[in-house]
Amino acid sequence: MRGAEALSDAELLAIILRTGAPSVNVLELANQVLSTFHGLDGVSRAAIPELCQIKGLGPAKAVEIKAALEMGRRVLTLDPTQLPAIRSPEDVFGL
């Protein structure tokens, strides 16, 4: 398995976050977010001010997380015949 589907939740979240904080790298920050909120479900339910309570996670990163999760939610509501086929990074770029 290759591509995004092979990545862990923490690795995917780290890509969204892009950078860590002075005392923690981006993967450690992603793991801290997931641990604090007990996984992606908890992160999706967390309010932006709750996300911002994690050191290294400001309003901009919190909004980026929420936006990415909202895009995923919207994809789930699409008619299956309208879903784009994603098999490579180029397919994602073309969306």
Side-chain angles (χ1 to χ4, degrees):
M1 183 167 45
R2 292 182 14 197
E5 63 272 5
L7 299 175
S8 68
D9 291 347
E11 290 167 328
L12 290 169
L13 184 54
I15 290 169
I16 293 166
L17 294 172
R18 293 184 324 271
T19 61
S23 62
V24 63
N25 70 45
V26 69
L27 191 54
E28 291 168 335
L29 180 59
N31 275 311
Q32 184 178 0
V33 171
L34 291 168
S35 175
T36 299
F37 295 102
H38 309 289
L40 285 176
D41 184 53
V43 174
S44 71
R45 295 172 192 265
I48 290 172
E50 292 175 300
L51 292 170
C52 290
Q53 290 183 4
I54 295 177
K55 186 175 180 172
L57 200 65
K61 286 185 179 184
V63 168
E64 290 169 356
I65 292 170
K66 296 299 276 187
L69 290 167
E70 177 60 21
M71 284 192 334
R73 188 195 66 75
R74 290 181 185 188
V75 167
L76 291 175
T77 65
L78 294 176
D79 178 349
T81 61
Q82 295 178 329
L83 292 174
I86 300 174
R87 293 179 208 90
S88 70
E90 291 79 19
D91 292 341
V92 173
F93 182 75
L95 292 177

